[in-house]
Amino acid sequence: MTLQTPVRIYESRRAPNPRRVGVFLAEKGVEVERVEVDIMSGAHKTPEYLARAGSHHVPLLELSDGTFLTESIAICRYLEALYPEPHLMGA
């Protein structure tokens, strides 16, 4: 499997898991487009969002090949594999 570069992150400032991924991106020094998802208005439950994510989970990482990753730990593990330095999940 070839790892794809991240293009954008769908996140919400009101939820802890997107903040966790945001901190991980910052510590890795990775810059991606950030798209704010208004979870208070239910934007994460719209047909458009669900078509991307397959669920209502936030954050959602979009990759350069058009695939999407959800779940903050899965996103962080993917980023760790793609950008191994600095080690944030152990060597």
Side-chain angles (χ1 to χ4, degrees):
M1 177 178 109
T2 303
L3 297 176
Q4 302 295 315
T5 56
V7 175
R8 69 186 50 88
I9 185 87
Y10 295 83
E11 59 188 357
S12 174
R13 291 184 203 110
R14 300 179 73 69
N17 287 336
R19 282 190 300 233
R20 178 180 296 130
V21 173
V23 168
F24 204 87
L25 286 165
E27 290 295 324
K28 290 284 187 184
V30 177
E31 294 290 327
V32 297
E33 178 186 347
R34 294 175 177 266
V35 178
E36 179 68 19
V37 178
D38 184 3
I39 61 174
M40 297 307 285
S41 71
H44 61 305
K45 296 180 180 178
T46 64
E48 296 82 19
Y49 188 85
L50 293 172
R52 288 185 195 104
S55 73
H56 62 278
H57 295 160
V58 180
L60 171 66
L61 182 68
E62 183 177 352
L63 303 176
S64 60
D65 67 353
T67 59
F68 296 91
L69 294 175
T70 59
E71 301 294 336
S72 59
I73 296 299
I75 292 170
C76 291
R77 287 187 186 275
Y78 186 87
L79 293 169
E80 182 80 358
L82 188 60
Y83 306 104
E85 295 293 329
H87 297 292
L88 297 178
M89 294 190 144

